[in-house]
Amino acid sequence: MNRGWRQYAGIYASALMACSIAMPSFASSALALTEAAQRPALAELAQSPYWRSLLRDENPRSGNYSSAVSFDGFFLSPNGSNNALAELEATANEFAKAITPSVTTSSAVDTASACRYPGRHAWLSQQRPDLAAQWPKADCPELNTWLTGLDANQVTLVFASDYLNNPSSMFGHTLMRIDAASQSDDTRLLSYAINYSAQTNTNNGLEFAIKGLTGGYPGAYSLLPYYEKVKEYNDWESRDLWEYELALTPTEVRQMLLVFWDWRGISSPYYFLSRNCSYELLGLIEMARPGLDLQSQFPVAVIPTDTVRAVLKEKNLLKRVTWRAASGTQLQASLARNDSATNAAAKRLSQDAKADFSSLAPVQRARALEVAYDDLYTRHVNHKAGDVAPLQLRSLLTQRAALDVPNQRIEAQRPAHDPSQGHGTARVSVGAGYDDKAYALLAFRPAYHDWLDSTAGYRAGARIDFLSGSLRADDDGLHIEQFTVVGIDSLAPINALSSPLSWSVRFGVDRRLSDEHIARADRQRHSATTFEGGGGIGWGVGNALCYSQSHSRLQGGSALSDGWEVSTGLRSGCTGGVIADSGRELRWLVDVKNLYAYPAKRVDHELRSGLQWSYERNQAIEFSLNREWRADALSTISLQWHRYF
């Protein structure tokens, strides 16, 4: 019995040992099968918005895939532009191929697909580590050298204020600064910046506008030294820069740069109003942090300030905001500080560095020399100072160095509100009014800003009206009261050094009185197509901006005796406002036109006046009183509620 029991016990122990060895192996296999079952299939990944965005899909969250890239070299599959799954399968197959030496390069890995598409490689490795484990390793020396040189640690979204002299920048411009880990605030100019822009090759303004609106230009990413963009925007165009430092992690910044590497050298149609610089940069930010949904918020039109607001609305995405004043802004601050004698001397010195200013005190002379230098330098970089400018600049520096007076330049005061804190760029309005009869009014303005709107976050003196219109309902039915294709006013106040041009232009449809005297009971206003504009000077009076311009207008329509009319004369007015402690603003406007009309041979007069109370950031009440004098006269009063968004 004992022997039998010992034999049975030995067999039982052997069985237990066998089980103890086999069970972990079985458990590992089961776990592996479970993990494999949980991994997304390529067909599922191909429908991922992130993958479709990597392929530059215009609507990555829609049911249909279509890449905006027309360059075949971007795709690894012949059907990659319209079949996301085929491109994903081709990409995975390329990553799995053995790396073979190239006859044209010294390193085998320079031509590896993993080096050409590091953004795709990093994402697919995260989604399918089982596949990535089988891929050969590529060192990518060119890519690694590029990444090491950038030393990227964080990203800053930069907004350049509107520039009305360039149609593509009339609403502002955005770019992305790549900040190195070794840099500080004092050395940010040494950073690089990612820019997206239209690749234009013409100076023809009409061609520029048509192609820009219809996608006739290719758009592409580029990487430039940040100081070059600062010089262009701050110095040449005198545009303030707002820098929004984003709270992206170094890992997220790296992924964004890898995707940028994927996208370098390719182009897609550029549309000034939709697929523009700001829209494309939103796509790059989405690549940094999967799950962000920014581009889909702009299905129709894209305005740079709105994209800044969209980014900043994301929770914990903003670290801080800084402001870089334009050279013109800094110069204006110095002029406002100086006395009239100092500014007069600065003007003489900027024209002739040898001008006499010995009657001034040392501090005044130092300030005059600094202002003269800054003004002359600005004109020099804009090619408006002549060939002697370098010698004049050197002379001004020599004279300034001879004065034992500390630096007198002052920092311009940062605006109380940055562009992201301004009112929405679109506006809808409802109201009522009276002229010869009572009427109701409904208006819509897609963009952008009017002189009566709150100035918080907007440039003083700029007015941009784009594709706005209003409908009027009265006893006679429903009418188009006004429609503006584009209307721009740019007020640049004169200063002690220069008298910049203030100008305006507008194209649209207006309702106006007839050329002929009609009995009051039968008097009606008729539609007239209008093209008008002019130029002159502007000046500051306290908190107000005033202007006086020559003004001309061409109109056509049934309200005119001959079907057309040309008018020319004077336009003048003032606009200003008062900001309450709470940030609410009361603004006013008086605008007068006195125009001689031909062939009617009559002087017409027009008055537009308004008072607007912006009681919230995106809500305002406007009261207006307008009057026109032609063969007849008519006054109009109205009260409107504005809602911005």
Side-chain angles (χ1 to χ4, degrees):
M1 282 294 290
N2 291 339
R3 181 180 179 185
W5 181 86
R6 285 196 298 270
Q7 183 178 8
Y8 174 78
I11 295 173
Y12 183 72
S14 299
L16 285 177
M17 290 179 64
C19 287
S20 66
I21 295 173
M23 286 179 64
S25 176
F26 174 78
S28 299
S29 300
L31 180 60
L33 289 173
T34 301
E35 291 178 348
Q38 291 177 345
R39 295 189 190 108
L42 291 184
E44 180 183 348
L45 288 176
Q47 297 306 313
S48 163
Y50 194 92
W51 171 249
R52 289 171 55 176
S53 294
L54 276 172
L55 302 183
R56 310 283 286 140
D57 186 358
E58 293 183 335
N59 298 289
R61 288 173 174 79
S62 67
N64 299 317
Y65 160 74
S66 178
S67 176
V69 178
S70 57
F71 175 53
D72 291 337
F74 178 66
F75 302 102
L76 295 172
S77 166
N79 301 317
S81 63
N82 51 43
N83 189 324
L85 176 57
E87 183 65 16
L88 181 56
E89 291 174 339
T91 299
N93 290 335
E94 283 293 323
F95 290 163
K97 286 183 179 179
I99 300 172
T100 57
S102 170
V103 296
T104 59
T105 59
S106 59
S107 174
V109 294
D110 285 338
T111 56
S113 295
C115 301
R116 173 63 185 88
Y117 302 100
R120 299 188 193 184
H121 190 277
W123 176 77
L124 192 52
S125 297
Q126 293 173 352
Q127 302 301 312
R128 292 295 302 268
D130 59 318
L131 296 180
Q134 305 173 38
W135 296 339
K137 180 176 176 56
D139 291 331
C140 308
E142 182 184 358
L143 171 63
N144 291 332
T145 299
W146 181 73
L147 290 172
T148 301
L150 287 177
D151 188 27
N153 183 62
Q154 64 183 23
V155 164
T156 298
L157 182 64
V158 181
F159 174 80
S161 60
D162 57 79
Y163 183 57
L164 301 186
N165 291 332
N166 184 344
S168 65
S169 294
M170 59 191 276
F171 299 120
H173 179 73
T174 55
L175 61 151
M176 198 94 69
R177 192 182 72 205
I178 310 301
D179 299 329
S182 58
Q183 292 173 345
S184 65
D185 288 345
D186 295 332
T187 58
R188 292 302 183 204
L189 285 176
L190 302 178
S191 301
Y192 281 84
I194 295 176
N195 191 50
Y196 188 89
S197 60
Q199 309 302 298
T200 61
N201 56 0
T202 180
N203 293 322
N204 186 309
L206 181 60
E207 178 186 352
F208 187 78
I210 293 175
K211 285 189 174 182
L213 292 171
T214 59
Y217 289 120
Y221 289 97
S222 60
L223 186 71
L224 301 168
Y226 184 55
Y227 70 81
E228 288 189 3
K229 304 307 293 182
V230 171
K231 180 170 64 176
E232 176 185 350
Y233 297 139
N234 261 182
D235 297 341
W236 296 355
E237 299 175 355
S238 195
R239 300 164 68 178
D240 293 338
L241 297 178
W242 290 90
E243 300 167 340
Y244 301 89
E245 188 177 309
L246 303 183
L248 295 176
T249 67
T251 300
E252 291 171 331
V253 173
R254 178 183 173 84
Q255 177 62 18
M256 187 188 76
L257 292 176
L258 294 180
V259 174
F260 172 81
W261 187 272
D262 284 14
W263 291 350
R264 61 181 184 143
I266 65 169
S267 63
S268 54
Y270 188 99
Y271 295 87
F272 287 161
L273 301 180
S274 54
R275 265 59 177 178
N276 55 25
C277 63
S278 297
Y279 180 84
E280 297 297 345
L281 287 183
L282 290 182
L284 205 53
I285 296 174
E286 288 179 343
M287 295 295 94
R289 181 173 292 180
L292 286 179
D293 184 11
L294 300 172
Q295 286 185 329
S296 65
Q297 300 178 34
F298 303 94
V300 179
V302 182
I303 294 177
T305 48
D306 289 336
T307 64
V308 172
R309 294 186 186 110
V311 171
L312 300 190
K313 280 194 304 183
E314 295 293 331
K315 187 177 181 181
N316 300 324
L317 193 52
L318 175 68
K319 290 176 67 176
R320 62 169 180 162
V321 182
T322 57
W323 179 62
R324 191 180 294 272
S327 59
T329 304
Q330 295 279 27
L331 186 61
Q332 190 60 43
S334 295
L335 291 173
R337 183 271 317 270
N338 294 345
D339 56 71
S340 58
T342 300
N343 286 337
K347 183 175 182 179
R348 296 194 303 271
L349 288 165
S350 68
Q351 301 296 328
D352 179 8
K354 296 181 180 180
D356 179 52
F357 64 124
S358 58
S359 61
L360 299 180
V363 170
Q364 291 177 303
R365 293 203 297 271
R367 292 176 177 179
L369 287 166
E370 291 173 358
V371 167
Y373 178 89
D374 293 343
D375 177 58
L376 180 58
Y377 175 78
T378 299
R379 290 189 286 116
H380 174 57
V381 297
N382 282 281
H383 307 289
K384 297 180 180 179
D387 296 335
V388 298
L391 293 176
Q392 298 272 35
L393 289 169
R394 188 178 301 113
S395 176
L396 292 172
L397 284 177
T398 301
Q399 294 181 70
R400 179 63 183 91
L403 288 174
D404 187 18
V405 177
N407 179 25
Q408 294 297 301
R409 289 184 175 86
I410 61 172
E411 292 293 328
Q413 184 176 1
R414 173 175 165 166
H417 300 87
D418 71 84
S420 71
Q421 297 172 313
H423 63 74
T425 54
R427 188 182 78 181
V428 64
S429 308
V430 294
Y434 183 85
D435 43 28
D436 278 347
K437 59 189 70 175
Y439 64 89
L441 197 66
L442 174 65
F444 176 64
R445 186 190 70 193
Y448 171 66
H449 179 71
D450 185 77
W451 282 340
L452 286 176
D453 294 334
S454 172
T455 56
Y458 288 83
R459 186 166 64 86
R463 183 189 74 87
I464 304 177
D465 195 358
F466 189 74
L467 295 179
S468 67
S470 58
L471 293 174
R472 167 179 167 144
D474 56 27
D475 293 342
D476 296 324
L478 189 66
H479 312 280
I480 296 177
E481 180 70 8
Q482 176 270 339
F483 177 73
T484 296
V485 177
V486 61
I488 302 174
D489 276 284
S490 177
L491 296 184
I494 61 176
N495 56 47
L497 298 178
S498 62
S499 300
L501 177 68
S502 292
W503 58 275
S504 66
V505 65
R506 179 179 174 271
F507 176 64
V509 176
D510 299 312
R511 287 176 64 82
R512 53 160 286 173
L513 287 173
S514 169
D515 267 350
E516 301 176 357
H517 179 73
I518 300 175
R520 184 179 185 87
D522 300 324
R523 184 163 54 195
Q524 292 185 354
R525 297 163 75 235
H526 303 271
S527 296
T529 302
T530 303
F531 179 71
E532 60 184 335
I537 62 171
W539 62 94
V541 182
N543 292 327
L545 278 175
C546 298
Y547 53 92
S548 181
Q549 303 175 3
S550 62
H551 195 81
S552 299
R553 179 166 59 197
L554 173 64
Q555 287 188 307
S558 60
L560 307 171
S561 301
D562 295 276
W564 63 275
E565 183 178 275
V566 175
S567 305
T568 187
L570 181 67
R571 178 192 180 199
S572 57
C574 291
T575 180
V578 178
I579 301 177
D581 292 339
S582 58
R584 294 174 291 182
E585 187 171 4
L586 178 67
R587 294 197 58 78
W588 56 270
L589 167 69
V590 176
D591 182 272
V592 178
K593 296 175 183 174
N594 299 288
L595 307 176
Y596 177 79
Y598 181 86
K601 297 181 179 179
R602 179 189 65 245
V603 177
D604 293 339
H605 309 280
E606 299 174 22
L607 166 69
R608 178 197 171 196
S609 63
L611 190 67
Q612 180 166 312
W613 173 239
S614 297
Y615 58 92
E616 288 185 3
R617 172 181 170 183
N618 285 314
Q619 296 190 72
I621 295 291
E622 177 190 347
F623 171 78
S624 64
L625 169 62
N626 303 325
R627 183 172 175 84
E628 56 180 315
W629 294 265
R630 304 187 194 278
D632 290 309
L634 181 67
S635 296
T636 304
I637 60 172
S638 66
L639 184 67
Q640 297 181 68
W641 173 75
H642 301 310
R643 180 69 170 88
Y644 303 85
F645 57 96

